[in-house]
């Protein structure tokens, strides 16, 4: 099966991206072209006017970086041409399962259908027109579907999954620099090609050569600062919460989670769902506010660095959050709907199942002069990494502008006075 | 009236943009926030995946540059604080009159209502909620409306209009670099602050100090190369033509041009109109094609450098274009709807009423050692400029993929064989 | 005294730098123009081919940033126009006291004369032609001299010194981004204008608003990663050690530290001293090696994160280092001159008296909703900062290529086997 | 002969440059390492503080781009691995023949020895230690020497020379963007990879696909604007003239052109010659002025666009220039040494034998749908190119500050009043 060069796309971040005839077929399919109408950072435009990039642009970038990884000699000698092609295609398709406003819709998916966007990606790859398109160019849709979400589990080749989905995968490498390029938030200029060049395989797992430790530490910091400044920014989160609430309220009427075919699901994108939320009575009020930048306000914020069971349960269980919301609303004497507790583990937080919330260990090694690769524990090697493990939990209470003071006081009473060091604004 | 600093926006192109309390009020209004849902370069995403920036982002940038111009000592000494504030506000608002897909909708506005987006801008500023908002912060909406489209004609202060609208205005200075930043097409990295610093006033007109001739020439070239590579790119134009056709076909049913109030008009944006075009039978076929990147194809292309009356009339009169389309369709034995003649003077071409199509003369001067400013004719000073005046007319015939060959032959017979030098692909 | 705008310089990092007539006079003086021949990062060109920027370029950048700080409203309301001018001039002149190869010469200054480059800066400002030039434009050379090294101690205005010299001063803000721009090492792209904008005065001290905590943390990380990747890079340090050794050996013959007037001192720059070292028998061998990139090799390296008295004394006292060198040489059976112990506290390490080696506390505060500024301890607020305090000590043993193995073994015996986690290559 | 990857260099312009073991050997040789002490743009630092990059950095960049060209499929299928390696090595070595202050020394080479820096490059490659080094890694020094200056004339492979030396060669592609990066003059951000990708071979010659016409036009404009703003900038040229005059005056005493071996020649670099000029009585006055930025002033300037025999002879013949200088000096009643006529064809002008002065024709072609490549004349295709051919001649008369007015008048009388349009400052 030939893998001919067909032409190129010009990417503002990576420059020219050369693609094959087969890749062009997949790129021009409806499920991929639809990504033109899914913004990468829904809600962030209320903070960063330039944050308008789409999942299409990102997906092309991820494919490009996947290609660069497969050209790394350490990797290329372990895969054949077909596997290299698979990795690029899977990288291109890793986000096709996203719903409108990306992670915001995931909240609904999770609540109503107990699904993630990764589940949707696999479903679409094996049931939509992409199934035929993949067959036609010689790939197994089932396999691509698994690889696209990092669960192919090919014997002896765990690294294939890890290129697409792991602590240092091409998805994260792309969005860290791309989000910086378009938002202007200057936290993500990292040396991604140093990292890509430093990748190697230990047994069957992707690992990073400690020669690139500075680049690796910078990447980790970039992720954390981007999280604080972009993904979990107070105002951006307010917008996402408002969108999530609007979808929740309108769901019964609009049937957003009643799709039965991939085509039904894919008919939803930022454009169509925004339009429908705008005309649905139950959600139009929220949309009206968003259209005038009348945002929910943060009435309480507390940052936790340490693991704490109380916190963890608030963070992870919806029932517990609901209860707390009711308590605060009661004490503040406001409508229960006006009180929203937000934590990074809610499914609608972009990248919530990320390194940030959980003990993470990136496999690293150093090379002896004789060329042996000695595995290391990153937390033992890097003080920066060590301190950042498990970092960072932020609990916020949002409400309307008019209830801000009352809710702020009530939350303080129930959740504890916030020590000054936790009040800071980031 | 106080003009207090309120806070800042982070722009990926210009960095921090500081705004006043009053400006924030205007920015948060519905007509300005709506610009979040008007893409700057509708259609360009089919060529440049990163071309997703919006008119909101651009408008903030234009306001910023307007502010920088008013800080130029040559300008600041000729205006008071209030006028400086007006210029920033007018710059911010110069695009609020744009319809869905920006210039594409302008084609309909022009045909059906004989209006331009500038007409709409003035209408909105004097009839929507912006009227009250402007009053509230101490401005005359009528005046801001005129200034926003460059027709305030304040006695002795023509330069105020020219800062917003002229051959070297802040609108163009912003979009040249911004379009480059987001598309990755590397034609627009020019030294805009050199140009802004070189601005001065001759009599009452804005003029450029020839000390910045290199920057000025680079700016002119950047505009031309951007025109060829972004705005009038074959594939990007195909997308725009398809959108324009879809709106034309659906107009009767959807009433896109039957709005009577600013609110009706402003309810239309890229999101809502795309959704409506998708569900309207008359336009859904085109949208379906766009969703799968099945684009119109260019069957014939010819570039003209010289002025020519035949060409001019084809270029400017719709009736003439229609006739030619019919002739070509007949000779090609295809449906007349399948043949579309495209020229840069069609209103839906971004920036059609630009320097590119018409004799342009940017006022320039040189300074004697004694500090006198001697006006010059740019065409006499700059060979680069001289050759670029009146440049560039491109005539194209588009059709469906399947009719491409037939239409290509028919067009050649009717419009003349294209000398090889005109066939080139740019 | 008028402070007229005279013209501009184009800086690759900050863009246009506008200067006054008076500043131009100072810039064109011999001591400042000499900085064209002092490279900012002597030795780094052996690692980063692009690391060729000079202290002249840096000094202009520092002046620019100083100007930006004085325009920050929090600062500008506390100083008059004259003080603002002083701060810019002092920033411009803060490095005039540097000797050839900058920090490398400082090693000699320290050993032979017990002086730092700051001492030389004050001496030059009050004794060279700059004295008259400063007088002429209305400044007190003595005051500028003190301010340039951060010791003016103006009553109630400690922040004036701190703008030039503190943990977050304009010197560091400039070199972090400039070193990144020219080397290509991507660790220093930080948001310096966010930091400058977040500066405020607590009592009389410069402090950072915690709203900019992300920018501040990124700055701290950027400094550390730059330290590891640029300033203390193994090969770059090898070059600096070779230059320092060459100067030490040639000093008696060339009289590098026998200058008696500022003019004598200023006659030395990278160009003249390199040429003299090349022709002096005692140093020509080292220069010959540098000219062929035959570098000293690192035979042993150990990183310390914890404070440790043994380490500290090795690090700070030359006698102790000498003794250890002798011990290692003896055990390795090599010439004592072939063994060099290198630690970041040696005066020839760029930025050795930096935040990196000592407990550092940057004053920070948060603002209450009512606008009160509440001082905080950064180490309590920022986990990233907390872990980085006191970080990072690196002990290295250098020797010639041919003795590498022998010295490596001897060092291990004497200094202890290096646990694997400390062997890593950064 | 193996071509193993050895490691990488980090370039601020192109990112990581991967090199082989063999290339490293050549890079670490004395003649290449010496390029660390030859600045790329001697004199430009008086205008652009950041213009401190060296020929070493540039040479690595040129090698990198040469490698990229050889990876272009159109090229790679016409050369074997060995030829590809040769092209990289020749690109790396193309500038080793430069003397101190690069083109400035070439003026002396030309006058005294009738040599160019290309002659020196060939001489060094076939007579210095590089001869042995090239042999050792399997290359023929004679061949590399010819290829490095574009005169290998390999049968059927003229394109090999043209990659290194032609109107669109890797030398120019590198310096256009590199000079922009380090100076901050924003004229050279062009799409070099688009050009490299558009290269193809017609018969045996390098040609550019017209699909990249915009990139090609931008490149041509970038070269012209860079010429005006950087290379032939009034103040930068003043510095170069002063250096050239200093070397001319000191030559007899210092014997700058009396070298007999490559080692003698290579012992001269910016550092050593500056130091010697400073201590030589005949040149020390000029160096003293440079050290204080007391520059020659431009007393007369005239731009010519048309070919003109009078002008041409002034431009090309030194005797004629000398005569004119004497005439002007006499009429101005100043010392003849105080009058210097400067034209871009003087050998000391960087890039004087460039496209700018002579009819240039870059081979271009367009591809038919069938894939045939039809050669075109660029001047017929591109209006921008057409107007720029033969462009631009600038005649200047320099003198000391104190004689400026007298010389200005005298020059006007002898060379004609300058029409205002030619007085402009660029």
């Amino acid at each position: 099966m030939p893998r001919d060069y067909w032409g190129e796309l010009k990417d503002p971040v990576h420059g020219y991206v050369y693609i094959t005839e087969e890749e062009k077929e997949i790129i021009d399919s409806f499920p991929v072209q639809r990504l033109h109408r899914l913004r990468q950072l829904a809600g962030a435009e209320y903070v960063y006017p330039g944050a308008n990039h789409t999942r299409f642009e990102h997906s092309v970038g991820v494919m490009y970086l996947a290609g660069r990884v497969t050209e790394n000699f350490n990797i290329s000698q372990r895969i054949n041409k077909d596997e290299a092609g698979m990795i690029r295609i899977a990288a291109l398709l890793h986000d096709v399962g996203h719903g409108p406003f990306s992670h915001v819709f995931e909240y609904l998916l999770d609540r109503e259908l107990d699904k993630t966007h990764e589940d949707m990606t696999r479903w679409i790859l094996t049931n939509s027109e992409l199934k035929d398109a993949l067959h036609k160019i010689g790939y197994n849709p089932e396999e691509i579907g698994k690889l696209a979400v990092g669960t192919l589990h090919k014997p002896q080749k765990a690294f294939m999954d890890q290129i697409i989905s792991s602590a240092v995968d091409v998805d994260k490498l792309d969005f860290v620099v791309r989000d910086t390029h378009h938002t202007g938030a200057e936290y993500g200029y990292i040396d991604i090609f140093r990292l890509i060049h430093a990748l190697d395989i230990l047994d069957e797992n992707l690992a990073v050569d400690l020669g690139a430790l500075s680049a690796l530490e910078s990447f980790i910091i970039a992720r954390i600062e981007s999280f604080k400044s972009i993904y979990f920014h107070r105002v951006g989160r307010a917008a996402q919460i408002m969108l999530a609430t609007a979808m929740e309220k309108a769901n019964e009427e609009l049937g957003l989670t009643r799709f039965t075919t991939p085509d039904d699901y894919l008919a939803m994108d930022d454009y169509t769902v925004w339009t429908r939320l705008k005309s649905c009575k139950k959600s139009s009020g929220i949309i009206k506010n968003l259209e005038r930048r009348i945002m929910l306000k943060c009435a309480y914020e507390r940052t936790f660095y340490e693991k704490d069971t109380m916190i963890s349960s608030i963070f992870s269980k919806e029932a517990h959050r609901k209860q707390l919301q009711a308590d605060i609303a009661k004490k503040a004497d406001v409508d229960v709907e006006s009180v929203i507790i937000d934590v990074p583990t809610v499914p609608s937080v972009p990248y919530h199942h990320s390194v940030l919330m959980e003990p993470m260990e990136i496999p690293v090694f150093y090379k002896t002069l004789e060329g042996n690769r000695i595995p290391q524990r990153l937390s033992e090697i890097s003080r920066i990494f060590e301190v950042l493990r498990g970092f960072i939990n932020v609990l916020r209470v949002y409400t309307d502008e008019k209830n801000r003071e009352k809710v702020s006081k009530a939350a303080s009473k129930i959740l504890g006075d916030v020590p000054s060091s936790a009040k800071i604004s980031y």
Side-chain angles (χ1 to χ4, degrees), chain A residues 139-179:
Chain A
Y139 289 119
N140 178 334
E142 192 67 41
E143 278 182 17
I144 297 286
K146 286 179 186 162
L147 183 54
V149 300
T151 58
L152 179 58
H153 304 314
K154 186 153 188 171
Q156 306 306 316
K157 297 197 173 171
F159 65 86
M160 285 180 66
D161 288 330
Q162 293 158 357
I163 291 170
I164 311 277
S165 179
S166 65
V168 187
D169 61 31
V170 288
D171 181 20
K172 294 174 188 67
L173 291 179
D174 185 78
F175 73 64
V176 162
V177 289
R178 189 173 305 281
D179 292 350

Side-chain angles (χ1 to χ4, degrees), chain A residues 96-200:
Chain A
V96 293
H98 263 298
F101 313 108
S102 304
H103 292 283
V104 181
F105 193 79
E106 204 154 20
Y107 172 64
L108 228 62
L109 274 181
D110 179 65
R111 274 192 58 154
E112 303 294 323
L113 306 172
D114 198 24
K115 299 282 184 201
T116 65
H117 80 269
E118 284 95 347
D119 297 328
M120 305 313 290
T121 294
R122 280 196 58 189
W123 185 54
I124 289 163
L125 290 188
T126 50
N127 291 280
S128 76
E129 64 178 86
L130 277 174
K131 182 186 169 183
D132 301 328
L134 287 168
H135 263 309
K136 195 178 143 198
I137 63 168
Y139 289 119
N140 178 334
E142 192 67 41
E143 278 182 17
I144 297 286
K146 286 179 186 162
L147 183 54
V149 300
T151 58
L152 179 58
H153 304 314
K154 186 153 188 171
Q156 306 306 316
K157 297 197 173 171
F159 65 86
M160 285 180 66
D161 288 330
Q162 293 158 357
I163 291 170
I164 311 277
S165 179
S166 65
V168 187
D169 61 31
V170 288
D171 181 20
K172 294 174 188 67
L173 291 179
D174 185 78
F175 73 64
V176 162
V177 289
R178 189 173 305 281
D179 292 350
T180 285
H181 180 83
H182 288 299
T183 61
E186 299 173 57
Y187 304 113
Y189 286 120
I190 58 155
D191 194 345
I192 53 178
F193 295 111
R194 182 103 172 98
L195 283 174
I196 286 178
H197 187 71
L199 291 176
D200 202 338

Side-chain angles (χ1 to χ4, degrees), chain A residues 51-299:
Chain A
N52 301 306
H53 48 306
T54 65
R55 297 225 163 241
F56 180 83
E57 181 188 341
H58 166 60
S59 296
V60 170
V62 174
M63 177 182 71
Y64 171 76
L65 292 183
R68 291 291 298 256
V69 172
T70 64
E71 289 164 15
N72 173 330
F73 183 67
N74 300 322
I75 315 292
S76 64
Q77 59 183 333
R78 295 281 294 265
I79 51 174
N80 60 33
K81 219 184 156 189
D82 222 57
E83 288 166 331
M86 273 181 77
I87 292 170
R88 277 178 62 105
I89 288 285
L92 171 67
L93 295 170
H94 81 289
D95 263 356
V96 293
H98 263 298
F101 313 108
S102 304
H103 292 283
V104 181
F105 193 79
E106 204 154 20
Y107 172 64
L108 228 62
L109 274 181
D110 179 65
R111 274 192 58 154
E112 303 294 323
L113 306 172
D114 198 24
K115 299 282 184 201
T116 65
H117 80 269
E118 284 95 347
D119 297 328
M120 305 313 290
T121 294
R122 280 196 58 189
W123 185 54
I124 289 163
L125 290 188
T126 50
N127 291 280
S128 76
E129 64 178 86
L130 277 174
K131 182 186 169 183
D132 301 328
L134 287 168
H135 263 309
K136 195 178 143 198
I137 63 168
Y139 289 119
N140 178 334
E142 192 67 41
E143 278 182 17
I144 297 286
K146 286 179 186 162
L147 183 54
V149 300
T151 58
L152 179 58
H153 304 314
K154 186 153 188 171
Q156 306 306 316
K157 297 197 173 171
F159 65 86
M160 285 180 66
D161 288 330
Q162 293 158 357
I163 291 170
I164 311 277
S165 179
S166 65
V168 187
D169 61 31
V170 288
D171 181 20
K172 294 174 188 67
L173 291 179
D174 185 78
F175 73 64
V176 162
V177 289
R178 189 173 305 281
D179 292 350
T180 285
H181 180 83
H182 288 299
T183 61
E186 299 173 57
Y187 304 113
Y189 286 120
I190 58 155
D191 194 345
I192 53 178
F193 295 111
R194 182 103 172 98
L195 283 174
I196 286 178
H197 187 71
L199 291 176
D200 202 338
I201 298 170
L202 286 192
D203 291 328
E204 59 167 333
N205 295 300
L206 215 54
V208 180
D209 188 327
L210 282 169
L213 182 59
S214 283
L216 185 57
E217 290 177 343
S218 297
F219 166 69
I220 295 166
I221 297 288
R223 293 210 57 209
I224 290 171
E225 299 299 353
S226 295
F227 178 80
K228 295 194 289 181
S229 301
I230 306 176
Y231 314 135
F232 210 65
H233 187 283
R234 274 185 195 167
V235 177
R237 275 302 290 162
Q240 293 174 350
I241 292 169
M242 291 168 76
L243 280 170
T245 310
M247 290 200 277
E248 212 176 338
K249 290 183 173 206
N251 193 18
E252 203 186 314
E253 192 172 321
L254 301 181
L256 299 173
T257 51
R258 280 203 302 272
F259 55 87
T260 53
T261 65
D263 277 1
D264 280 359
Y265 180 69
L266 295 173
M268 294 187 289
D269 58 31
D270 292 3
Y271 287 27
T272 57
V273 170
W274 173 271
T275 304
R276 293 171 74 196
L277 292 175
K278 190 173 153 83
S279 60
C280 169
K281 252 196 185 156
K282 293 191 174 139
S283 49
S284 63
I286 292 175
I287 300 300
K288 225 168 180 168
N289 281 343
L290 281 170
E291 287 180 335
R292 281 152 189 82
R293 211 177 180 282
I294 299 168
M295 312 300 279
L296 287 179
K297 299 293 174 187
C298 181

Side-chain angles (χ1 to χ4, degrees), chain A residues 250-364:
Chain A
N251 193 18
E252 203 186 314
E253 192 172 321
L254 301 181
L256 299 173
T257 51
R258 280 203 302 272
F259 55 87
T260 53
T261 65
D263 277 1
D264 280 359
Y265 180 69
L266 295 173
M268 294 187 289
D269 58 31
D270 292 3
Y271 287 27
T272 57
V273 170
W274 173 271
T275 304
R276 293 171 74 196
L277 292 175
K278 190 173 153 83
S279 60
C280 169
K281 252 196 185 156
K282 293 191 174 139
S283 49
S284 63
I286 292 175
I287 300 300
K288 225 168 180 168
N289 281 343
L290 281 170
E291 287 180 335
R292 281 152 189 82
R293 211 177 180 282
I294 299 168
M295 312 300 279
L296 287 179
K297 299 293 174 187
C298 181
Y300 180 91
E301 174 171 315
R302 185 165 181 172
T303 304
F304 300 90
Y305 300 103
E306 309 302 336
K307 301 214 174 304
D308 178 312
T309 14
M310 192 273 289
I311 299 308
S312 287
S313 68
I314 301 177
F315 281 19
S316 55
K317 285 180 204 132
E318 190 177 351
H320 203 147
R321 284 204 305 275
K322 292 272 180 208
Q323 185 56 49
L324 263 175
Q325 286 172 183
D327 293 350
I328 294 170
K330 198 178 163 195
K331 187 167 288 293
D333 192 23
V334 301
D335 194 63
V336 69
E337 287 218 325
S338 305
V339 176
I340 297 154
I341 288 181
D342 189 37
V343 289
T345 38
V346 169
S348 70
V349 173
Y351 326 114
H352 74 282
H353 44 108
S354 71
V355 298
L356 300 173
M357 297 310 122
E358 39 196 80
M360 159 190 64
E361 190 66 48
I362 299 171
V364 294

